[in-house]
Amino acid sequence: VSHLQPAPDLVVVGNAMKRGMAVIEYMLNEGLRYTSGPQFLLEEVLQSRHVIAVAGTHGKTTTTTMLAWILHYAGIDTGFLIGGVPLVDTADERLQQVFAHSSYLGADTRAVADTQSTLQGYFVIEADEYDSAFFDKRSKFVHYRPRTAILNNLEFDHADIFADLNAIQTQFHHMIRMIPSTGKIIMPTATQSLEETLAKGVWTPIWRTSVHQQNRSQNHTQDHTPSDWQAQLIAEDGSQFTISHHADTTTSAAVDWSMSGIHNVNNALVATAAAFDVGVDISTACAALSAFAGIKRRMELIGKVNNILVFDDFAHHPTAIHLTLDGAKKKLTKGRIWAIIEPRSNTMKMGVHQDRLAESAAL
């Protein structure tokens, strides 16, 4: 309570705050002006920007970081807010400084590509579907009002606040309803839960993406739906691949990086498409990805003892665990892989995914 004395101009209430907490009861009893974190971001930071939002059950942090990295590598002074800590391995002092933290305000004086727009500059944000505050149960991303939206995937999660998948799809659709017709939606092909969400109504052009195995005509999901963007694997573990737009080989470029896994190839593909949407060519985006060092706690090598490599990864959903381990197995072909899984998320602790957990590590 002492933190609210003397009374501030505005209290920004995080979604961990609940009724019954002394500070919250004091704020309400005293009639202090308050708002949620997402609403504050909209009004004070995002309102004047071209917002590029990265949503989905998995890969938000990684994809957001990749996209922010690509834009800065291309010389676009972009603001960003990431739910993780970027790893930086570059001699470029400017990039070192920008990515020293998980957020960066960015320039607000650079006009966006559309010269008729009143928007100034870009902002890349990890668009979480968790609720905004105890007084606003809408998903955080509803406040962000993106013009470019990446919808990476959609599965049931956050069982502590959502009753079922349909409840999450409803929140995704609330965000989709606010994306301008001059904007862009970028998403993988053949994602049934996302297609069902779009069926509720969509007014924005869509770019669909797909990842293809080398020398095979179908992508790894066995989908035959035409896609606007393709990644073609060179290495099975996803450490090398090419990216092309509308199957035009003249615009393709290669990525050779330290990351692995089909999921990260897809993350890179949608990030490249989003960067292209705001003016970054494919070759520059692929060069940026080749220099991308990753994010803390995303297959982060934290030690080596007696030739045993120890990695830390944040995957907390059976699908994410499976994809991460699949990428690790294909990259670390020698020796045995041990997966130590800590059921830490609210959904995991509630036992919602208990029937899938063992299966997720069965490779």
Side-chain angles (χ1 to χ4, degrees), residues 3 16 22 128 130 141 160 184 189 198 250:
H3 293 170
D128 186 13
Y130 212 80
F141 58 41
D160 51 324
K184 196 80 68 187
T189 60
L198 294 176
T250 62

Side-chain angles (χ1 to χ4, degrees), residues 166-211:
N166 184 63
I168 307 176
Q169 289 174 308
T170 297
Q171 293 294 325
F172 269 71
H173 187 245
H174 288 167
M175 178 181 69
I176 289 170
R177 291 179 71 89
M178 291 186 285
I179 303 173
S181 58
T182 54
K184 196 80 68 187
I185 293 174
I186 302 165
M187 55 179 277
T189 60
T191 307
Q192 181 178 346
S193 55
L194 287 176
E195 296 294 349
E196 291 171 352
T197 305
L198 294 176
K200 298 175 184 288
V202 60
W203 301 264
T204 308
I206 301 170
W207 275 342
R208 288 178 171 82
T209 66
S210 60
V211 177

Side-chain angles (χ1 to χ4, degrees), residues 135-328:
F135 52 86
D136 184 355
K137 308 314 286 183
R138 294 175 296 171
S139 291
K140 286 187 269 186
F141 58 41
V142 172
H143 296 276
Y144 299 157
R145 302 184 185 178
R147 301 186 72 83
T148 305
I150 291 173
L151 309 180
N152 242 354
N153 40 65
L154 180 53
E155 293 191 74
F156 181 59
D157 200 6
H158 306 307
D160 51 324
I161 63 170
F162 292 117
D164 50 32
L165 177 62
N166 184 63
I168 307 176
Q169 289 174 308
T170 297
Q171 293 294 325
F172 269 71
H173 187 245
H174 288 167
M175 178 181 69
I176 289 170
R177 291 179 71 89
M178 291 186 285
I179 303 173
S181 58
T182 54
K184 196 80 68 187
I185 293 174
I186 302 165
M187 55 179 277
T189 60
T191 307
Q192 181 178 346
S193 55
L194 287 176
E195 296 294 349
E196 291 171 352
T197 305
L198 294 176
K200 298 175 184 288
V202 60
W203 301 264
T204 308
I206 301 170
W207 275 342
R208 288 178 171 82
T209 66
S210 60
V211 177
H212 297 251
Q213 304 285 356
Q214 189 175 26
N215 298 323
R216 293 172 64 178
S217 61
Q218 70 271 18
N219 65 28
H220 73 284
T221 62
Q222 307 301 310
D223 171 49
H224 296 273
T225 305
S227 57
D228 304 284
W229 289 82
Q230 300 85 29
Q232 184 82 30
L233 295 184
I234 298 173
E236 186 183 10
D237 65 355
S239 61
Q240 294 176 301
F241 56 94
T242 61
I243 290 177
S244 60
H245 179 37
H246 288 302
D248 181 357
T249 56
T250 62
T251 62
S252 67
V255 175
D256 184 352
W257 63 354
S258 61
M259 308 285 282
S260 65
I262 297 294
H263 60 303
N264 278 322
V265 176
N266 184 72
N267 293 339
L269 181 56
V270 293
T272 298
F276 186 88
D277 187 47
V278 297
V280 179
D281 64 80
I282 297 175
S283 295
T284 299
C286 289
L289 289 168
S290 295
F292 182 68
I295 309 99
K296 287 185 69 66
R297 302 203 66 199
R298 271 65 178 182
M299 279 302 287
E300 179 189 7
L301 179 61
I302 59 174
K304 182 177 181 179
V305 181
N306 297 329
N307 291 321
I308 298 173
L309 302 177
V310 181
F311 295 88
D312 184 21
D313 194 88
F314 189 70
H316 59 278
H317 185 286
T319 299
I321 293 170
H322 178 80
L323 291 171
T324 300
L325 291 177
D326 180 66

